[in-house]
Amino acid sequence: MRIRSICVVRMWISIYCATGAERLWHVTLTENYAVALVGIGKIARDQHIPSIDRNDRFTLAATVSRNASIDGVENFTAIEDMLAARPEIPVISLAIPPGPRFNIAMSALKADRHVILEKPPGATLSEVDTLVTTAQERGKLLFATWHSRFAAGVEPARQWLAARQIKRVHVTWHEDVRRWHPGQEWIWRTGGFGVFDPGINALSILTEILPMTVHLTAAELEFPSNCQTPIAARLNFADGADTPITADFDWRQTGPQSWEIDVETAEGKLKLTDGGANIAIEGESLSIPEQSEYDAIYTRFAELLARNESDVDLAPFKHVADAFMIGRRIETDAFVE
Ligand code: NAP
């Protein structure tokens, strides 16, 4: 990986001497933020590290992992050791599962650092509220990322649907858990979300693109007999206008994978495919520029820093919590990896 020198503030000062007495000072101030990445697992290696590396506003300055490290970057095995040893690092990005996230995020906020949270932002709704309050009290930023919202087709979909009457919505999120989560035991334990780990990505898109709010009315959750989290979920939503809105999440899909959202409107049909990367209206694909979701996450965080704003939207998380609250439990075959 490319290692950039770390400097907290890079400042370019250009001085233009105009003819006569007038002197124009042109000052460009570009801050570069050191980032500590916590959890060096699949998503850290696949996405966070390359995206931080590609972004001029951030530099990977330290990692926290009990088992892994990145060449050329100082690693710590405990967050407290990193926070104590590297007080100059202002941004802590958490790429760990939701279960252990709260304690680590709290440590970072109490040490007066800004915090980026992977999705889902926590194991419970209330703990994220506490993080929000703590961030406000400490004057630090909290960014609950929803990477799928940065898929290239999502913003065009939101714009196209904004003024349209929605007639029907169906989400199909079918993938092979053995292919995408090999060896990840945490997804099957309480607080691991099971099929909602990818399903919440679909819900993050849904809650971004629909012009109305929706709420869950019924759910069926299939739990393998040896797991604490579901392998499949079927959800029904209502919007107060009797619009049929359904979602089908399944982790047992072999062969082609399906991450699709179909929206029928009074003026035509919209389809998002490939997790929101592609969009078609009435069967015609729109030509949209490719976009790396994680590049867009770090660009967005640079904007939040510039505006001194946090960004925590819990809408997708609430639907998952509601599904666990009102969902009918169905036991299914034991999961064997
Ligand atoms: P992973 O490969 O299992 O890696 C998780 C990392 O978290 C490991 O490096 C582990 O670090 C650390 N960790 C696990 N339990 C911990 C604990 N109790 N205390 C401290 N650290 C702990 O998981 P992942 O797939 O990268 O997923 C991490 C997060 O990213 C999840 O919230 C997931 O939803 C999200 N995400 C994943 C993907 C994907 O494609 N996998 C895509 C988007 C988002 P050490 O054991 O080295 O300390």
Side-chain angles (χ1 to χ4, degrees), residues 26-191:
H26 176 77
V27 179
T28 311
L29 186 67
T30 307
E31 195 159 352
N32 181 269
Y33 294 89
V35 179
L37 188 57
V38 183
I40 304 302
K42 187 171 187 311
I43 199 62
R45 290 180 189 280
D46 289 357
Q47 300 291 343
H48 287 266
I49 293 170
S51 290
I52 292 169
D53 199 35
R54 282 192 288 266
N55 194 316
D56 286 341
R57 305 299 308 282
F58 300 103
T59 299
L60 182 62
T63 55
V64 180
S65 170
R66 299 160 304 178
N67 303 298
S69 61
I70 301 296
D71 285 349
V73 179
E74 187 177 13
N75 185 65
F76 297 83
T77 51
I79 182 81
E80 289 76 14
D81 295 343
M82 189 276 292
L83 294 169
R86 302 293 299 275
E88 84 286 7
I89 297 178
V91 177
I92 315 297
S93 186
L94 305 187
I96 52 177
R101 198 168 299 143
F102 175 78
N103 287 338
I104 293 176
M106 277 300 268
S107 299
L109 290 171
K110 285 182 171 173
D112 292 324
R113 318 300 171 91
H114 305 300
V115 172
I116 302 176
L117 303 171
E118 249 301 347
K119 50 66 47 166
T124 69
L125 285 164
S126 317
E127 71 179 40
V128 185
D129 283 342
T130 303
L131 293 180
V132 169
T133 306
T134 307
Q136 282 165 353
E137 286 168 359
R138 310 296 299 200
K140 294 292 133 187
L141 304 192
L142 186 65
F143 181 24
T145 62
W146 296 109
H147 65 86
S148 291
R149 284 187 175 173
F150 295 99
V154 172
E155 178 56 19
R158 189 192 66 75
Q159 288 180 21
W160 194 82
L161 293 172
R164 290 188 160 82
Q165 190 193 344
I166 310 297
K167 302 288 241 184
R168 177 181 297 274
V169 181
H170 184 67
V171 178
T172 309
W173 227 250
H174 290 182
E175 62 173 55
D176 183 352
V177 64
R178 292 178 178 85
R179 180 166 156 195
W180 301 104
H181 297 272
Q184 293 185 348
E185 278 178 38
W186 59 266
I187 55 176
W188 298 115
R189 292 199 291 262
T190 52

